[in-house]
């Protein structure tokens, strides 16, 4: 007899996938779950590896984690709401290995391992419409150790395959003439490789600044090249110079947009990542150009296929707690407790919001950067899912942390945050700030 349970496939065993799985397995009478993870470990990008190109199965290395990375948000607001960190003391900005252990503990606590297929590569995801009009999904996957291929059918698919694997590399005129080392931040691991070299770092967002601070301890000279409206106002090492974006390259000579130039040994692209879903059927019409994915409603649901969900699209957010709310919103849709508008109405709402953001001067490639918009987004989907949104103290800590970072990004990780209650927090400096 066919199962009466709703069959859910989760593709990807990183944070987003684990959080969705936690909520699915909490309703064993309602769901059967399969999670597909192509590596041999859960944790996604939080699993550090020295490898930078291909993994042991010949697949592109998934993680972009570098050896010394610490979180750029305090753990007090990073933690998943129903699973606080065990160590309530200690630093707020923790090494990536702490997050990795936290995810292992989370997976064990909620007994997710029985539902996870490790070393399993999803090859193809195809929609199929049944005679009754219902859409189901066939997922074809390969067991990497045995190369055995299997196809199974699911009622809903949640894509959690991560977005920090395929680096975005902008075209620079003349770059083919450069004979030095070129790499993307995805391949960066440790600063010692750049000892005594002249390094150009292109991009001054989170990874660009972090890598600049690290490499400056080893490099002869760093040129931090970016197109921000104003130079970054922070105390940096004497061997760091800020330059505008790269205009063109002539051999090892980089010419910047202000006409200045420098001799460069190494170029590190810190220019973001591409959204890619190589396993999706061609029936799934999806645009992923210019760092923008559409047609996706509420940054979660494909408007033409409302049982196909996309996790991890919003950027500049508090991700782990956001996944906690998004997962419960998704289950509300699957279970019919949340009624979606018609595809036409979803498109109208989406286009209105996009038009409004573009008119405010937000470029298409930045629409997924939620920043201040994130709080209304959490409140909205939490309300629809009938679950608690974030307490005000989370936004207060987030805003305070951002203020400290803007004042001096070389010291903002020295602060320790402690939540007192839903409204209040304390902050101290753990070392000279």
């Amino acid at each position: 007899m066919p199962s009466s349970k709703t069959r859910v496939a989760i593709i990807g065993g990183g944070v987003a996938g684990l959080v969705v799985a936690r909520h699915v397995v909490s309703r064993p009478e309602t769901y059967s779950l399969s999670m597909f993870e192509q590596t041999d470990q859960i944790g996604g990008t939080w699993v550090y590896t020295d490898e930078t190109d291909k993994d042991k199965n010949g697949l592109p290395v998934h993680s972009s984690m570098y050896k010394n990375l610490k979180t750029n948000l305090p753990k007090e607001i990073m933690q998943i709401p129903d699973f606080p960190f065990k160590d309530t003391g200690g630093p707020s900005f923790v090494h990536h290995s702490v997050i990795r252990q936290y995810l292992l503990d989370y997976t064990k606590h909620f007994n997710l391992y029985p539902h996870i297929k490790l070393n399993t590569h999803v090859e193809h995801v195809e929609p199929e419409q049944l005679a009754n009009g219902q859409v189901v999904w066939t997922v074809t996957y390969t067991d990497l150790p045995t190369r055995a291929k299997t196809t199974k059918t699911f009622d809903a698919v949640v894509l959690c395959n991560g977005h920090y694997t395929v680096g975005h590399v902008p075209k620079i005129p003349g770059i083919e003439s450069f004979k030095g080392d070129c790499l993307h931040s995805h391949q960066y691991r440790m600063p010692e490789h750049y000892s005594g070299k002249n390094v150009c770092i292109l991009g001054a967002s989170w990874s660009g600044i972090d890598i600049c601070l690290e490499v400056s301890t080893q490099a002869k000279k760093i040129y931090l090249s970016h197109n921000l409206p104003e130079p970054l106002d922070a105390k940096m090492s004497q061997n760091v110079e800020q330059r505008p974006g790269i205009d063109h390259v002539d051999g090892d000579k980089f010419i910047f947009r202000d006409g200045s130039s420098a001799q460069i040994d190494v170029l590190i692209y810190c220019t973001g990542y591409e959204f890619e879903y190589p396993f999706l059927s061609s029936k799934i019409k999806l645009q992923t150009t210019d760092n923008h994915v559409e047609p996706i409603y509420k940054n979660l649901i494909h408007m033409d296929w409302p049982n196909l969900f996309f996790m991890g699209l919003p950027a500049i957010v508090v991700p782990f707690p956001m996944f906690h709310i998004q997962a419960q919103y998704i289950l509300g849709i699957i279970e019919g407790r949340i009624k979606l508008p018609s595809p036409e109405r979803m498109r109208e709402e989406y286009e209105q919001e996009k038009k409004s953001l573009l008119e405010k001067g937000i470029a298409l490639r930045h629409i997924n950067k939620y920043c201040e918009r994130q709080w209304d987004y959490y409140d909205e989907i939490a309300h629809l899912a009938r679950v608690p949104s974030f307490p005000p103290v989370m936004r207060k800590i987030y805003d305070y942390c951002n203020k400290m970072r803007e004042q001096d990004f070389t010291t903002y990780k020295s602060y320790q945050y402690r939540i007192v209650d839903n409204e209040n927090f304390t902050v101290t400096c753990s070392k000279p700030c």
Side-chain angles (χ1 to χ4, degrees):
M1 293 291 292
S3 171
S4 60
K5 294 182 180 181
T6 300
R7 300 159 297 180
V8 176
I10 296 174
I11 300 176
V15 186
L18 295 171
V19 173
V20 175
R22 172 263 180 276
H23 290 283
V24 172
V25 303
S26 70
R27 299 163 169 83
E29 71 289 346
T30 303
Y31 297 105
S32 66
L33 171 67
S34 294
M35 174 189 279
F36 303 98
E37 168 53 45
Q38 74 176 17
T39 72
D40 58 4
Q41 304 177 63
I42 60 93
T45 202
W46 294 96
V47 179
Y48 175 80
T49 174
D50 289 327
E51 298 170 327
T52 59
D53 185 24
K54 302 288 185 181
D55 65 16
K56 64 182 181 183
N57 295 306
L59 295 170
V61 167
H62 178 78
S63 177
S64 296
M65 189 60 56
Y66 43 95
K67 192 170 186 179
N68 301 321
L69 180 138
K70 290 186 177 181
T71 60
N72 55 29
L73 289 174
K75 71 178 190 295
E76 289 74 18
I77 62 173
M78 271 190 75
Q79 61 191 358
I80 302 164
D82 61 356
F83 194 74
F85 279 95
K86 292 176 182 175
D87 177 19
T88 56
S92 288
F93 298 87
V94 296
H95 188 256
H96 62 77
S97 58
V98 175
I99 303 297
R100 164 81 172 127
Q101 186 59 52
Y102 173 76
L103 297 176
L104 291 171
D105 293 343
Y106 181 88
T107 304
K108 182 178 180 182
H109 178 80
F110 290 110
N111 196 29
L112 304 183
Y113 282 112
H115 308 278
I116 301 173
K117 297 180 185 296
L118 297 173
N119 291 305
T120 304
H121 185 235
V122 173
E123 308 279 352
H124 194 66
V125 176
E126 179 88 11
E128 178 186 347
Q129 188 161 20
L130 304 180
N132 63 2
Q134 178 189 355
V135 172
V136 295
W137 299 88
T138 57
V139 176
T140 301
Y141 55 92
T142 298
D143 179 78
L144 292 170
T146 66
R147 310 308 299 179
K149 190 169 287 193
T150 306
T151 298
K152 287 191 175 179
T153 302
F154 296 89
D155 300 299
V157 175
V158 187
L159 306 182
C160 305
N161 55 306
H163 307 297
Y164 299 103
T165 296
V166 181
H168 170 66
V169 178
K171 293 178 181 176
I172 301 173
I175 192 63
E176 66 281 353
S177 69
F178 178 57
K179 302 307 179 187
D181 293 333
C182 274
L183 66 150
H184 190 274
S185 58
H186 172 64
Q187 285 124 1
Y188 172 79
R189 292 297 182 265
M190 56 191 74
E192 290 79 8
H193 292 314
Y194 312 100
S195 177
K197 296 185 178 182
N198 291 335
V199 179
C200 178
I201 294 176
L202 182 59
S205 190
W206 296 104
S207 62
I209 290 172
D210 249 15
I211 291 172
C212 175
L213 294 176
E214 275 207 13
V215 175
S216 67
T217 64
Q218 303 288 331
K220 178 181 177 183
K221 186 84 173 181
I222 289 185
Y223 297 90
L224 181 60
S225 172
H226 60 81
N227 292 314
L228 298 175
E230 300 289 337
L232 295 165
D233 183 20
K235 198 165 40 178
M236 288 186 273
S237 299
Q238 291 185 343
N239 62 341
V240 176
E241 284 187 24
Q242 295 186 62
R243 297 288 174 94
I246 302 167
D247 182 77
H248 65 281
V249 172
D250 183 7
D252 62 356
K253 183 180 180 182
F254 280 45
I255 296 87
F256 301 97
R257 290 180 178 174
D258 62 355
S260 65
S261 64
Q263 301 296 120
I264 300 298
D265 301 310
V266 180
L267 170 62
I268 304 177
Y269 292 95
C270 295
T271 45
Y273 291 84
E274 305 279 1
F275 289 101
E276 287 206 344
Y277 304 93
F279 44 77
L280 281 183
S281 163
S282 59
K283 294 178 184 177
I284 311 302
K285 303 304 179 188
L286 199 68
Q287 294 182 346
T288 60
T289 54
D290 210 11
N291 197 39
H292 185 69
V293 183
E294 58 178 75
I296 308 297
Y297 184 67
K298 303 298 182 194
N299 256 314
L300 273 177
I301 307 129
H302 196 293
M303 296 179 203
D304 297 324
W305 309 94
N307 55 352
L308 177 64
F309 303 95
F310 293 70
M311 292 288 283
L313 299 188
I316 318 296
V317 293
V318 188
F320 294 14
M322 178 184 73
F323 298 151
H324 179 75
I325 295 178
Q326 286 181 321
Q328 294 174 89
Y329 177 76
I330 286 172
L331 295 196
I333 293 168
I334 294 174
E335 294 167 15
R337 292 180 285 107
I338 297 173
K339 303 296 182 184
L340 291 173
S342 67
E344 295 75 22
R345 182 58 191 155
M346 283 193 277
R347 272 185 163 77
E348 286 176 18
E349 285 185 34
Y350 171 79
E351 292 297 340
Q352 286 171 4
E353 182 181 12
K354 184 168 82 169
K355 181 172 182 284
S356 172
L357 293 170
L358 292 173
E359 286 175 350
K360 290 176 182 176
I362 299 174
L364 183 68
R365 68 182 182 276
H366 295 317
I367 282 180
N368 73 318
K369 295 181 178 179
Y370 266 49
C371 304
E372 289 305 302
R373 291 185 287 130
Q374 65 180 301
W375 311 106
D376 288 341
Y377 175 70
Y378 306 147
D379 290 345
E380 177 190 12
I381 61 173
H383 173 73
L384 291 169
R386 298 178 186 175
V387 298
S389 189
F390 300 159
V393 69
M394 283 192 63
R395 181 172 186 174
K396 291 178 181 179
I397 292 177
Y398 182 90
D399 289 345
Y400 189 93
C401 177
N402 268 357
K403 184 176 73 172
M404 293 297 100
R405 181 177 182 270
E406 287 168 5
Q407 287 181 7
D408 190 344
F409 59 69
T410 66
T411 60
Y412 81 101
K413 294 185 181 182
S414 300
Y415 291 89
Q416 289 183 325
Y417 296 83
R418 297 291 178 263
I419 293 175
V420 177
D421 53 38
N422 283 347
E423 294 282 348
N424 301 292
F425 70 96
T426 62
V427 58
T428 56
C429 194
S430 58
K431 49 190 173 183
C433 294

